[in-house]
């Protein structure tokens, strides 16, 4: 099964997919993070400092990373996110601005020529993103918004952005006709729900899977983009 674990910013996709991979023995697929991509793509800039053109490049590059990772795993993997995610994040930026602040509302976003061109391009990027999702995933697991958003410089600080992205991702999955379940609650509850619904193998206990996933997660390099450039 090619399973995409979906959800907007700070819903726990990474930890959930790590734990699910340990629990089931199914390989996890993931793209490089923005923390990893920014220093090699736009050295010296944070995500908030990127232009529309640079954000489009990052979206394209991250989806390239995702497609390459998935292509090596055949018809069995657990994906941290999906091809729809970066495209939807870009699409929401048309509504809330390329770099929304915490106070940005839909009513005060200026329709600049840059934003209009950004909208034209992101609309076309949706064509391959949706085609990939339809052909590349057998099912989606949606993680609902249950945790506070982490303000770490590579996520937007606008909660409206977050809610819109969550809604739009699921709308697109539904429009594509891809089967979806929602798995909320604790990480242990999520694993029970997902593995039970899809009848996935269980190779270790849930407690051990979560322990290993937390160790993996704690080992992630969380330095900011500018720190990585300097080191």
């Amino acid at each position: 099964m090619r399973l995409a674990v979906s959800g907007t910013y700070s819903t726990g996709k990474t930890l959930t997919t790590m734990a699910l991979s340990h629990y089931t023995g199914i390989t996890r697929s993931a793209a490089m993070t923005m923390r990893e991509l920014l220093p090699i793509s736009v050295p010296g800039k944070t995500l908030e400092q990127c232009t529309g053109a640079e954000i489009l490049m990052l979206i394209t590059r991250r989806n390239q990373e995702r497609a390459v990772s998935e292509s090596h795993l055949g018809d069995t993997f657990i994906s941290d996110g999906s091809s729809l995610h970066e495209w939807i994040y870009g699409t929401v930026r048309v509504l809330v601005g390329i770099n929304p602040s915490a106070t940005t509302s839909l009513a005060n976003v200026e329709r600049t020529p840059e934003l209009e061109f950004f909208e034209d391009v992101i609309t076309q990027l949706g064509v391959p993103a949706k085609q990939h999702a339809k052909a590349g995933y057998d099912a989606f697991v949606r993680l609902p918004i249950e945790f506070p958003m982490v303000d770490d410089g590579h996520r937007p600080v606008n909660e409206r952005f977050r809610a819109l992205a969550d809604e739009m991702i699921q709308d697109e999955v539904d429009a594509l006709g891809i089967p979806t379940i929602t798995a909320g609650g604790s990480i242990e509850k999520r694993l029970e729900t997902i593995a039970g619904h899809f009848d996935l193998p269980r190779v270790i206990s849930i407690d051990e899977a979560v322990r290993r996933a937390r160790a993996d997660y704690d080992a992630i390099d969380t330095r900011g983009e500018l720190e990585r450039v300097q080191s």
Side-chain angles (χ1 to χ4, degrees):
M1 166 166 280
R2 300 166 302 174
L3 187 63
V5 177
S6 178
T8 187
Y9 292 99
S10 295
T11 53
K13 291 190 298 297
T14 296
L15 182 60
T16 299
T17 53
M18 286 175 169
L20 188 60
S21 178
H22 284 301
Y23 186 44
T24 63
I26 298 173
T27 302
R28 173 178 174 268
S29 174
M32 291 178 70
T33 66
M34 285 298 182
R35 286 193 192 97
E36 295 166 321
L37 285 175
L38 280 161
I40 62 175
S41 303
V42 280
K45 283 191 175 183
T46 64
L47 186 59
E48 290 87 350
Q49 295 169 333
C50 288
T51 65
E54 289 165 339
I55 288 173
L56 288 167
M57 178 270 292
L58 288 165
I59 290 170
T60 303
R61 189 163 194 174
R62 195 158 192 228
N63 265 337
Q64 175 188 346
E65 288 277 336
R66 189 181 299 284
V68 169
S69 176
E70 292 172 1
S71 71
H72 295 163
L73 300 176
D75 60 0
T76 305
F77 59 80
I78 296 165
S79 179
D80 181 347
S82 76
S83 63
L84 297 176
H85 280 69
E86 280 68 48
W87 167 61
I88 288 294
Y89 293 155
T91 301
V92 178
R93 288 177 188 275
V94 174
L95 301 176
V96 299
I98 290 175
N99 284 303
S101 69
T103 58
T104 300
S105 71
L106 300 185
N108 61 19
V109 174
E110 183 183 359
R111 296 291 300 181
T112 63
E114 179 189 22
L115 188 58
E116 290 178 353
F117 180 72
F118 185 92
E119 180 177 15
D120 289 342
V121 176
I122 201 68
T123 298
Q124 295 307 311
L125 288 180
V127 175
K130 287 185 279 189
Q131 289 173 340
H132 180 96
K134 180 68 174 177
Y137 307 116
D138 299 309
F140 271 67
V141 174
R142 175 180 172 270
L143 304 182
I145 295 175
E146 298 178 302
F147 312 123
M149 186 160 57
V150 178
D151 181 8
D152 61 1
H154 75 281
R155 294 175 174 91
V157 295
N158 189 294
E159 281 289 348
R160 181 59 175 152
F161 185 119
R162 188 189 192 200
L164 279 170
D166 180 62
E167 179 182 342
M168 292 176 71
I169 290 168
Q170 192 54 51
D171 284 350
E172 289 298 336
V173 174
D174 292 342
L176 292 169
I178 305 173
T180 307
I181 67 163
T182 297
S186 67
I187 184 68
E188 292 83 2
K189 179 62 176 175
R190 291 178 176 190
L191 298 190
E192 290 176 354
T193 299
I194 298 166
H197 181 86
F198 295 109
D199 193 24
L200 301 178
R202 287 80 154 176
V203 297
I204 59 174
S205 70
I206 285 183
D207 289 345
E208 179 62 16
V210 173
R211 187 195 67 78
R212 293 184 188 183
R214 293 195 187 283
D216 292 342
Y217 194 86
D218 289 344
I220 294 174
D221 185 349
T222 58
R223 289 177 302 161
E225 302 90 321
L226 301 183
E227 292 177 279
R228 290 168 186 260
V229 171
Q230 294 166 2
S231 60

